[in-house]
mmCIF file of all heavy atoms in Angstrom:
data_model
loop_
_atom_site.group_PDB
_atom_site.id
_atom_site.type_symbol
_atom_site.label_atom_id
_atom_site.label_comp_id
_atom_site.label_asym_id
_atom_site.label_seq_id
_atom_site.Cartn_x
_atom_site.Cartn_y
_atom_site.Cartn_z
ATOM 1 N N VAL D 1 0.810 -1.220 0.000
ATOM 2 C CA VAL D 1 0.000 0.000 0.000
ATOM 3 C C VAL D 1 0.843 1.270 0.000
ATOM 4 O O VAL D 1 0.532 2.219 -0.736
ATOM 5 C CB VAL D 1 -1.011 -0.009 1.166
ATOM 6 C CG1 VAL D 1 -1.549 1.395 1.444
ATOM 7 C CG2 VAL D 1 -2.176 -0.945 0.832
ATOM 8 N N PRO D 2 1.921 1.374 0.801
ATOM 9 C CA PRO D 2 2.736 2.595 0.735
ATOM 10 C C PRO D 2 3.252 2.882 -0.675
ATOM 11 O O PRO D 2 3.303 4.039 -1.104
ATOM 12 C CB PRO D 2 3.883 2.299 1.705
ATOM 13 C CG PRO D 2 3.305 1.326 2.674
ATOM 14 C CD PRO D 2 2.402 0.454 1.864
ATOM 15 N N GLU D 3 3.600 1.831 -1.403
ATOM 16 C CA GLU D 3 4.066 2.018 -2.772
ATOM 17 C C GLU D 3 2.911 2.428 -3.683
ATOM 18 O O GLU D 3 3.079 3.251 -4.589
ATOM 19 C CB GLU D 3 4.723 0.734 -3.285
ATOM 20 C CG GLU D 3 5.496 0.936 -4.568
ATOM 21 C CD GLU D 3 6.421 -0.224 -4.874
ATOM 22 O OE1 GLU D 3 6.559 -1.139 -4.038
ATOM 23 O OE2 GLU D 3 7.014 -0.197 -5.962
ATOM 24 N N LEU D 4 1.727 1.866 -3.440
ATOM 25 C CA LEU D 4 0.553 2.248 -4.223
ATOM 26 C C LEU D 4 0.219 3.723 -4.008
ATOM 27 O O LEU D 4 -0.184 4.414 -4.944
ATOM 28 C CB LEU D 4 -0.646 1.376 -3.840
ATOM 29 C CG LEU D 4 -0.575 -0.095 -4.241
ATOM 30 C CD1 LEU D 4 -1.779 -0.853 -3.699
ATOM 31 C CD2 LEU D 4 -0.490 -0.244 -5.758
ATOM 32 N N VAL D 5 0.402 4.192 -2.788
ATOM 33 C CA VAL D 5 0.160 5.609 -2.505
ATOM 34 C C VAL D 5 1.141 6.468 -3.300
ATOM 35 O O VAL D 5 0.755 7.476 -3.909
ATOM 36 C CB VAL D 5 0.281 5.889 -0.991
ATOM 37 C CG1 VAL D 5 0.246 7.389 -0.721
ATOM 38 C CG2 VAL D 5 -0.843 5.195 -0.232
ATOM 39 N N ARG D 6 2.400 6.063 -3.325
ATOM 40 C CA ARG D 6 3.400 6.812 -4.094
ATOM 41 C C ARG D 6 3.094 6.777 -5.588
ATOM 42 O O ARG D 6 3.359 7.743 -6.314
ATOM 43 C CB ARG D 6 4.806 6.244 -3.837
ATOM 44 C CG ARG D 6 5.337 6.493 -2.438
ATOM 45 C CD ARG D 6 6.826 6.223 -2.367
ATOM 46 N NE ARG D 6 7.152 4.828 -2.630
ATOM 47 C CZ ARG D 6 7.208 3.880 -1.712
ATOM 48 N NH1 ARG D 6 6.943 4.181 -0.437
ATOM 49 N NH2 ARG D 6 7.528 2.642 -2.030
ATOM 50 N N GLU D 7 2.526 5.658 -6.043
ATOM 51 C CA GLU D 7 2.199 5.506 -7.466
ATOM 52 C C GLU D 7 0.842 6.129 -7.814
ATOM 53 O O GLU D 7 0.429 6.105 -8.970
ATOM 54 C CB GLU D 7 2.176 4.014 -7.831
ATOM 55 C CG GLU D 7 3.509 3.312 -7.738
ATOM 56 C CD GLU D 7 4.412 3.605 -8.926
ATOM 57 O OE1 GLU D 7 3.891 4.035 -9.981
ATOM 58 O OE2 GLU D 7 5.633 3.421 -8.799
ATOM 59 N N ASN D 8 0.137 6.659 -6.807
ATOM 60 C CA ASN D 8 -1.178 7.283 -7.009
ATOM 61 C C ASN D 8 -2.216 6.278 -7.494
ATOM 62 O O ASN D 8 -3.123 6.610 -8.278
ATOM 63 C CB ASN D 8 -1.087 8.467 -7.981
ATOM 64 C CG ASN D 8 -2.308 9.369 -7.908
ATOM 65 O OD1 ASN D 8 -2.936 9.517 -6.861
ATOM 66 N ND2 ASN D 8 -2.667 9.969 -9.036
ATOM 67 N N VAL D 9 -2.113 5.034 -7.054
ATOM 68 C CA VAL D 9 -3.047 3.966 -7.424
ATOM 69 C C VAL D 9 -4.068 3.779 -6.315
ATOM 70 O O VAL D 9 -3.703 3.715 -5.135
ATOM 71 C CB VAL D 9 -2.294 2.646 -7.693
ATOM 72 C CG1 VAL D 9 -3.274 1.485 -7.886
ATOM 73 C CG2 VAL D 9 -1.399 2.794 -8.912
ATOM 74 N N ARG D 10 -5.320 3.700 -6.687
ATOM 75 C CA ARG D 10 -6.400 3.512 -5.705
ATOM 76 C C ARG D 10 -6.870 2.068 -5.710
ATOM 77 O O ARG D 10 -7.081 1.483 -6.773
ATOM 78 C CB ARG D 10 -7.577 4.439 -6.025
ATOM 79 C CG ARG D 10 -8.762 4.287 -5.072
ATOM 80 C CD ARG D 10 -9.754 5.422 -5.250
ATOM 81 N NE ARG D 10 -10.388 5.412 -6.551
ATOM 82 C CZ ARG D 10 -11.482 4.706 -6.845
ATOM 83 N NH1 ARG D 10 -12.038 3.915 -5.936
ATOM 84 N NH2 ARG D 10 -12.007 4.777 -8.060
ATOM 85 N N VAL D 11 -7.038 1.484 -4.539
ATOM 86 C CA VAL D 11 -7.476 0.097 -4.395
ATOM 87 C C VAL D 11 -8.995 0.030 -4.308
ATOM 88 O O VAL D 11 -9.633 0.812 -3.599
ATOM 89 C CB VAL D 11 -6.859 -0.556 -3.140
ATOM 90 C CG1 VAL D 11 -7.455 -1.943 -2.905
ATOM 91 C CG2 VAL D 11 -5.345 -0.634 -3.279
ATOM 92 N N ASN D 12 -9.564 -0.901 -5.051
ATOM 93 C CA ASN D 12 -10.982 -1.235 -4.934
ATOM 94 C C ASN D 12 -11.086 -2.756 -4.875
ATOM 95 O O ASN D 12 -10.292 -3.460 -5.494
ATOM 96 C CB ASN D 12 -11.763 -0.688 -6.138
ATOM 97 C CG ASN D 12 -13.265 -0.892 -5.983
ATOM 98 O OD1 ASN D 12 -13.909 -0.228 -5.175
ATOM 99 N ND2 ASN D 12 -13.833 -1.808 -6.750
ATOM 100 N N VAL D 13 -12.034 -3.256 -4.128
ATOM 101 C CA VAL D 13 -12.229 -4.709 -4.028
ATOM 102 C C VAL D 13 -13.704 -4.996 -4.227
ATOM 103 O O VAL D 13 -14.565 -4.396 -3.567
ATOM 104 C CB VAL D 13 -11.754 -5.264 -2.672
ATOM 105 C CG1 VAL D 13 -11.981 -6.772 -2.605
ATOM 106 C CG2 VAL D 13 -10.273 -4.943 -2.463
ATOM 107 N N MET D 14 -14.022 -5.919 -5.122
ATOM 108 C CA MET D 14 -15.417 -6.314 -5.327
ATOM 109 C C MET D 14 -15.554 -7.807 -5.049
ATOM 110 O O MET D 14 -14.614 -8.584 -5.240
ATOM 111 C CB MET D 14 -15.868 -5.985 -6.744
ATOM 112 C CG MET D 14 -15.188 -6.770 -7.836
ATOM 113 S SD MET D 14 -15.808 -6.293 -9.461
ATOM 114 C CE MET D 14 -15.126 -7.623 -10.466
ATOM 115 N N GLY D 15 -16.722 -8.177 -4.570
ATOM 116 C CA GLY D 15 -16.975 -9.560 -4.199
ATOM 117 C C GLY D 15 -17.799 -9.593 -2.922
ATOM 118 O O GLY D 15 -18.316 -8.565 -2.483
ATOM 119 N N TYR D 16 -17.921 -10.758 -2.345
ATOM 120 C CA TYR D 16 -18.753 -10.930 -1.145
ATOM 121 C C TYR D 16 -17.860 -10.854 0.089
ATOM 122 O O TYR D 16 -17.443 -11.860 0.664
ATOM 123 C CB TYR D 16 -19.523 -12.248 -1.248
ATOM 124 C CG TYR D 16 -20.479 -12.221 -2.430
ATOM 125 C CD1 TYR D 16 -20.075 -12.678 -3.680
ATOM 126 C CD2 TYR D 16 -21.755 -11.678 -2.298
ATOM 127 C CE1 TYR D 16 -20.936 -12.613 -4.776
ATOM 128 C CE2 TYR D 16 -22.624 -11.606 -3.387
ATOM 129 C CZ TYR D 16 -22.198 -12.074 -4.615
ATOM 130 O OH TYR D 16 -23.064 -11.990 -5.691
ATOM 131 N N HIS D 17 -17.558 -9.609 0.490
ATOM 132 C CA HIS D 17 -16.593 -9.363 1.561
ATOM 133 C C HIS D 17 -17.054 -9.912 2.902
ATOM 134 O O HIS D 17 -16.235 -10.305 3.732
ATOM 135 C CB HIS D 17 -16.345 -7.855 1.717
ATOM 136 C CG HIS D 17 -15.865 -7.194 0.465
ATOM 137 N ND1 HIS D 17 -15.897 -5.842 0.277
ATOM 138 C CD2 HIS D 17 -15.336 -7.716 -0.671
ATOM 139 C CE1 HIS D 17 -15.427 -5.549 -0.914
ATOM 140 N NE2 HIS D 17 -15.074 -6.671 -1.517
ATOM 141 N N ASP D 18 -18.364 -9.920 3.122
ATOM 142 C CA ASP D 18 -18.875 -10.331 4.428
ATOM 143 C C ASP D 18 -18.607 -11.804 4.718
ATOM 144 O O ASP D 18 -18.750 -12.250 5.855
ATOM 145 C CB ASP D 18 -20.377 -10.036 4.525
ATOM 146 C CG ASP D 18 -21.186 -10.724 3.435
ATOM 147 O OD1 ASP D 18 -20.653 -10.904 2.321
ATOM 148 O OD2 ASP D 18 -22.348 -11.082 3.688
ATOM 149 N N ARG D 19 -18.210 -12.563 3.719
ATOM 150 C CA ARG D 19 -17.949 -13.989 3.904
ATOM 151 C C ARG D 19 -16.454 -14.282 4.063
ATOM 152 O O ARG D 19 -16.044 -15.440 4.138
ATOM 153 C CB ARG D 19 -18.514 -14.780 2.720
ATOM 154 C CG ARG D 19 -20.020 -14.547 2.536
ATOM 155 C CD ARG D 19 -20.553 -15.201 1.281
ATOM 156 N NE ARG D 19 -21.897 -14.702 0.941
ATOM 157 C CZ ARG D 19 -22.562 -15.024 -0.150
ATOM 158 N NH1 ARG D 19 -22.020 -15.856 -1.024
ATOM 159 N NH2 ARG D 19 -23.766 -14.524 -0.383
ATOM 160 N N LEU D 20 -15.656 -13.243 4.086
ATOM 161 C CA LEU D 20 -14.220 -13.411 4.264
ATOM 162 C C LEU D 20 -13.867 -13.430 5.752
ATOM 163 O O LEU D 20 -14.601 -12.867 6.569
ATOM 164 C CB LEU D 20 -13.468 -12.266 3.586
ATOM 165 C CG LEU D 20 -13.611 -12.142 2.069
ATOM 166 C CD1 LEU D 20 -12.943 -10.861 1.584
ATOM 167 C CD2 LEU D 20 -13.014 -13.355 1.356
ATOM 168 N N PRO D 21 -12.734 -14.037 6.112
ATOM 169 C CA PRO D 21 -12.289 -13.978 7.509
ATOM 170 C C PRO D 21 -12.103 -12.526 7.943
ATOM 171 O O PRO D 21 -11.786 -11.654 7.119
ATOM 172 C CB PRO D 21 -10.950 -14.727 7.480
ATOM 173 C CG PRO D 21 -11.027 -15.608 6.285
ATOM 174 C CD PRO D 21 -11.844 -14.873 5.275
ATOM 175 N N ALA D 22 -12.275 -12.278 9.224
ATOM 176 C CA ALA D 22 -12.215 -10.904 9.744
ATOM 177 C C ALA D 22 -10.893 -10.218 9.401
ATOM 178 O O ALA D 22 -10.869 -9.046 9.013
ATOM 179 C CB ALA D 22 -12.426 -10.918 11.252
ATOM 180 N N LYS D 23 -9.773 -10.938 9.550
ATOM 181 C CA LYS D 23 -8.469 -10.317 9.292
ATOM 182 C C LYS D 23 -8.334 -9.918 7.817
ATOM 183 O O LYS D 23 -7.703 -8.891 7.494
ATOM 184 C CB LYS D 23 -7.335 -11.252 9.688
ATOM 185 C CG LYS D 23 -7.267 -12.547 8.872
ATOM 186 C CD LYS D 23 -6.110 -13.433 9.305
ATOM 187 C CE LYS D 23 -6.053 -14.710 8.463
ATOM 188 N NZ LYS D 23 -4.931 -15.591 8.872
ATOM 189 N N THR D 24 -8.938 -10.710 6.922
ATOM 190 C CA THR D 24 -8.886 -10.392 5.499
ATOM 191 C C THR D 24 -9.742 -9.167 5.205
ATOM 192 O O THR D 24 -9.326 -8.264 4.463
ATOM 193 C CB THR D 24 -9.368 -11.585 4.660
ATOM 194 O OG1 THR D 24 -8.658 -12.762 5.060
ATOM 195 C CG2 THR D 24 -9.131 -11.338 3.181
ATOM 196 N N GLN D 25 -10.935 -9.130 5.797
ATOM 197 C CA GLN D 25 -11.803 -7.969 5.623
ATOM 198 C C GLN D 25 -11.117 -6.694 6.110
ATOM 199 O O GLN D 25 -11.181 -5.645 5.456
ATOM 200 C CB GLN D 25 -13.112 -8.170 6.397
ATOM 201 C CG GLN D 25 -14.021 -9.238 5.834
ATOM 202 C CD GLN D 25 -15.352 -9.282 6.569
ATOM 203 O OE1 GLN D 25 -15.982 -8.262 6.782
ATOM 204 N NE2 GLN D 25 -15.783 -10.480 6.949
ATOM 205 N N GLN D 26 -10.484 -6.778 7.249
ATOM 206 C CA GLN D 26 -9.816 -5.604 7.821
ATOM 207 C C GLN D 26 -8.689 -5.109 6.915
ATOM 208 O O GLN D 26 -8.520 -3.899 6.710
ATOM 209 C CB GLN D 26 -9.280 -5.940 9.208
ATOM 210 C CG GLN D 26 -10.371 -6.169 10.247
ATOM 211 C CD GLN D 26 -9.840 -6.804 11.528
ATOM 212 O OE1 GLN D 26 -8.630 -7.015 11.677
ATOM 213 N NE2 GLN D 26 -10.731 -7.121 12.454
ATOM 214 N N ALA D 27 -7.912 -6.040 6.355
ATOM 215 C CA ALA D 27 -6.818 -5.660 5.457
ATOM 216 C C ALA D 27 -7.352 -4.989 4.200
ATOM 217 O O ALA D 27 -6.801 -3.983 3.729
ATOM 218 C CB ALA D 27 -5.995 -6.896 5.091
ATOM 219 N N VAL D 28 -8.445 -5.538 3.654
ATOM 220 C CA VAL D 28 -9.071 -4.973 2.460
ATOM 221 C C VAL D 28 -9.598 -3.568 2.746
ATOM 222 O O VAL D 28 -9.345 -2.619 1.992
ATOM 223 C CB VAL D 28 -10.208 -5.894 1.974
ATOM 224 C CG1 VAL D 28 -11.104 -5.170 0.986
ATOM 225 C CG2 VAL D 28 -9.630 -7.167 1.352
ATOM 226 N N ASP D 29 -10.331 -3.428 3.841
ATOM 227 C CA ASP D 29 -10.917 -2.129 4.187
ATOM 228 C C ASP D 29 -9.841 -1.072 4.422
ATOM 229 O O ASP D 29 -9.993 0.091 4.016
ATOM 230 C CB ASP D 29 -11.799 -2.266 5.432
ATOM 231 C CG ASP D 29 -13.054 -3.101 5.178
ATOM 232 O OD1 ASP D 29 -13.404 -3.267 3.997
ATOM 233 O OD2 ASP D 29 -13.661 -3.565 6.158
ATOM 234 N N LYS D 30 -8.751 -1.472 5.057
ATOM 235 C CA LYS D 30 -7.668 -0.516 5.343
ATOM 236 C C LYS D 30 -6.988 -0.074 4.044
ATOM 237 O O LYS D 30 -6.663 1.111 3.872
ATOM 238 C CB LYS D 30 -6.646 -1.136 6.283
ATOM 239 C CG LYS D 30 -5.567 -0.147 6.763
ATOM 240 C CD LYS D 30 -4.640 -0.793 7.769
ATOM 241 C CE LYS D 30 -3.668 0.223 8.367
ATOM 242 N NZ LYS D 30 -2.849 0.908 7.339
ATOM 243 N N ALA D 31 -6.768 -1.004 3.129
ATOM 244 C CA ALA D 31 -6.131 -0.666 1.858
ATOM 245 C C ALA D 31 -6.999 0.298 1.058
ATOM 246 O O ALA D 31 -6.504 1.251 0.443
ATOM 247 C CB ALA D 31 -5.856 -1.926 1.053
ATOM 248 N N ILE D 32 -8.298 0.061 1.068
ATOM 249 C CA ILE D 32 -9.225 0.945 0.363
ATOM 250 C C ILE D 32 -9.185 2.341 0.981
ATOM 251 O O ILE D 32 -9.116 3.351 0.275
ATOM 252 C CB ILE D 32 -10.654 0.372 0.396
ATOM 253 C CG1 ILE D 32 -10.720 -0.919 -0.452
ATOM 254 C CG2 ILE D 32 -11.672 1.389 -0.103
ATOM 255 C CD1 ILE D 32 -12.033 -1.662 -0.329
ATOM 256 N N ALA D 33 -9.209 2.396 2.309
ATOM 257 C CA ALA D 33 -9.198 3.692 3.001
ATOM 258 C C ALA D 33 -7.877 4.425 2.797
ATOM 259 O O ALA D 33 -7.861 5.642 2.568
ATOM 260 C CB ALA D 33 -9.457 3.480 4.490
ATOM 261 N N ASP D 34 -6.764 3.704 2.862
ATOM 262 C CA ASP D 34 -5.449 4.334 2.767
ATOM 263 C C ASP D 34 -5.165 4.902 1.378
ATOM 264 O O ASP D 34 -4.311 5.789 1.231
ATOM 265 C CB ASP D 34 -4.352 3.334 3.137
ATOM 266 C CG ASP D 34 -4.326 3.019 4.628
ATOM 267 O OD1 ASP D 34 -4.992 3.737 5.394
ATOM 268 O OD2 ASP D 34 -3.637 2.052 5.015
ATOM 269 N N THR D 35 -5.836 4.364 0.350
ATOM 270 C CA THR D 35 -5.592 4.829 -1.022
ATOM 271 C C THR D 35 -6.772 5.619 -1.579
ATOM 272 O O THR D 35 -6.784 5.949 -2.778
ATOM 273 C CB THR D 35 -5.312 3.636 -1.960
ATOM 274 O OG1 THR D 35 -6.457 2.769 -1.979
ATOM 275 C CG2 THR D 35 -4.086 2.851 -1.498
ATOM 276 N N ALA D 36 -7.738 5.931 -0.743
ATOM 277 C CA ALA D 36 -8.983 6.566 -1.209
ATOM 278 C C ALA D 36 -8.757 7.911 -1.884
ATOM 279 O O ALA D 36 -9.533 8.313 -2.761
ATOM 280 C CB ALA D 36 -9.962 6.722 -0.046
ATOM 281 N N GLN D 37 -7.707 8.626 -1.484
ATOM 282 C CA GLN D 37 -7.456 9.950 -2.042
ATOM 283 C C GLN D 37 -6.676 9.899 -3.355
ATOM 284 O O GLN D 37 -6.515 10.933 -4.010
ATOM 285 C CB GLN D 37 -6.693 10.809 -1.021
ATOM 286 C CG GLN D 37 -7.428 10.982 0.303
ATOM 287 C CD GLN D 37 -8.822 11.567 0.108
ATOM 288 O OE1 GLN D 37 -9.007 12.543 -0.613
ATOM 289 N NE2 GLN D 37 -9.804 10.960 0.757
ATOM 290 N N ASN D 38 -6.188 8.742 -3.730
ATOM 291 C CA ASN D 38 -5.440 8.623 -4.985
ATOM 292 C C ASN D 38 -6.395 8.761 -6.168
ATOM 293 O O ASN D 38 -7.518 8.252 -6.126
ATOM 294 C CB ASN D 38 -4.715 7.282 -5.055
ATOM 295 C CG ASN D 38 -3.644 7.156 -3.989
ATOM 296 O OD1 ASN D 38 -3.313 8.121 -3.308
ATOM 297 N ND2 ASN D 38 -3.103 5.958 -3.824
ATOM 298 N N ASN D 39 -5.947 9.402 -7.214
ATOM 299 C CA ASN D 39 -6.824 9.601 -8.376
ATOM 300 C C ASN D 39 -6.213 9.074 -9.665
ATOM 301 O O ASN D 39 -6.595 9.478 -10.764
ATOM 302 C CB ASN D 39 -7.176 11.083 -8.539
ATOM 303 C CG ASN D 39 -5.945 11.963 -8.693
ATOM 304 O OD1 ASN D 39 -4.839 11.466 -8.862
ATOM 305 N ND2 ASN D 39 -6.149 13.266 -8.630
ATOM 306 N N GLY D 40 -5.271 8.141 -9.524
ATOM 307 C CA GLY D 40 -4.684 7.510 -10.699
ATOM 308 C C GLY D 40 -5.419 6.226 -11.036
ATOM 309 O O GLY D 40 -6.632 6.134 -10.888
ATOM 310 N N MET D 41 -4.684 5.231 -11.490
ATOM 311 C CA MET D 41 -5.295 3.957 -11.869
ATOM 312 C C MET D 41 -5.998 3.302 -10.685
ATOM 313 O O MET D 41 -5.540 3.399 -9.538
ATOM 314 C CB MET D 41 -4.230 3.003 -12.413
ATOM 315 C CG MET D 41 -4.791 1.721 -13.034
ATOM 316 S SD MET D 41 -3.508 0.546 -13.534
ATOM 317 C CE MET D 41 -3.052 -0.170 -11.931
ATOM 318 N N VAL D 42 -7.089 2.602 -10.955
ATOM 319 C CA VAL D 42 -7.786 1.819 -9.945
ATOM 320 C C VAL D 42 -7.312 0.368 -10.043
ATOM 321 O O VAL D 42 -7.410 -0.250 -11.110
ATOM 322 C CB VAL D 42 -9.312 1.870 -10.125
ATOM 323 C CG1 VAL D 42 -10.003 0.971 -9.105
ATOM 324 C CG2 VAL D 42 -9.813 3.302 -9.998
ATOM 325 N N LEU D 43 -6.764 -0.144 -8.956
ATOM 326 C CA LEU D 43 -6.395 -1.554 -8.864
ATOM 327 C C LEU D 43 -7.571 -2.261 -8.222
ATOM 328 O O LEU D 43 -7.801 -2.167 -7.015
ATOM 329 C CB LEU D 43 -5.122 -1.725 -8.026
ATOM 330 C CG LEU D 43 -4.676 -3.156 -7.740
ATOM 331 C CD1 LEU D 43 -4.446 -3.930 -9.028
ATOM 332 C CD2 LEU D 43 -3.427 -3.159 -6.872
ATOM 333 N N ASN D 44 -8.332 -2.970 -9.034
ATOM 334 C CA ASN D 44 -9.601 -3.561 -8.616
ATOM 335 C C ASN D 44 -9.449 -5.072 -8.467
ATOM 336 O O ASN D 44 -9.254 -5.782 -9.455
ATOM 337 C CB ASN D 44 -10.675 -3.236 -9.660
ATOM 338 C CG ASN D 44 -12.034 -3.805 -9.291
ATOM 339 O OD1 ASN D 44 -12.478 -3.695 -8.160
ATOM 340 N ND2 ASN D 44 -12.691 -4.415 -10.268
ATOM 341 N N PHE D 45 -9.522 -5.553 -7.234
ATOM 342 C CA PHE D 45 -9.424 -6.992 -6.982
ATOM 343 C C PHE D 45 -10.816 -7.616 -6.939
ATOM 344 O O PHE D 45 -11.709 -7.115 -6.245
ATOM 345 C CB PHE D 45 -8.730 -7.267 -5.651
ATOM 346 C CG PHE D 45 -7.245 -7.066 -5.680
ATOM 347 C CD1 PHE D 45 -6.685 -5.885 -5.201
ATOM 348 C CD2 PHE D 45 -6.399 -8.038 -6.190
ATOM 349 C CE1 PHE D 45 -5.318 -5.689 -5.222
ATOM 350 C CE2 PHE D 45 -5.023 -7.850 -6.213
ATOM 351 C CZ PHE D 45 -4.488 -6.673 -5.732
ATOM 352 N N ALA D 46 -10.985 -8.706 -7.665
ATOM 353 C CA ALA D 46 -12.192 -9.527 -7.547
ATOM 354 C C ALA D 46 -11.862 -10.632 -6.552
ATOM 355 O O ALA D 46 -11.124 -11.563 -6.870
ATOM 356 C CB ALA D 46 -12.581 -10.108 -8.899
ATOM 357 N N PHE D 47 -12.380 -10.501 -5.346
ATOM 358 C CA PHE D 47 -12.016 -11.405 -4.255
ATOM 359 C C PHE D 47 -13.288 -11.978 -3.646
ATOM 360 O O PHE D 47 -14.167 -11.252 -3.204
ATOM 361 C CB PHE D 47 -11.199 -10.647 -3.196
ATOM 362 C CG PHE D 47 -10.298 -11.525 -2.384
ATOM 363 C CD1 PHE D 47 -9.049 -11.898 -2.871
ATOM 364 C CD2 PHE D 47 -10.688 -12.004 -1.154
ATOM 365 C CE1 PHE D 47 -8.211 -12.723 -2.135
ATOM 366 C CE2 PHE D 47 -9.857 -12.827 -0.403
ATOM 367 C CZ PHE D 47 -8.621 -13.190 -0.897
#
C-alpha cells in the first residue's frame, strides 16, 4: 500500500466481503481507506 500511494493507485475490491475472515476484511478495508485519495489507476481486486 505505501508504494501504491506513491504511485497514485487507488485500491478497490469487489466480491462478497462479508464472507471473508475478519483479518482479510480488515486488510481490504484498510487498503481501500489508505488509497482513497489517490486519483490515478484503480487496482480492482475480484475477491
Side-chain angles (χ1 to χ4, degrees):
V1 162
E3 193 165 354
L4 291 175
V5 171
R6 291 194 296 271
E7 294 282 340
N8 197 31
V9 172
R10 179 168 65 86
V11 173
N12 186 72
V13 180
M14 66 180 193
Y16 297 91
H17 303 163
D18 58 328
R19 302 174 194 175
L20 297 173
K23 64 180 181 180
T24 309
Q25 291 186 48
Q26 292 167 4
V28 165
D29 292 342
K30 187 176 186 303
I32 292 172
D34 288 348
T35 61
Q37 301 304 313
N38 295 350
N39 58 10
M41 189 185 77
V42 177
L43 175 58
N44 181 45
F45 285 99
F47 205 83

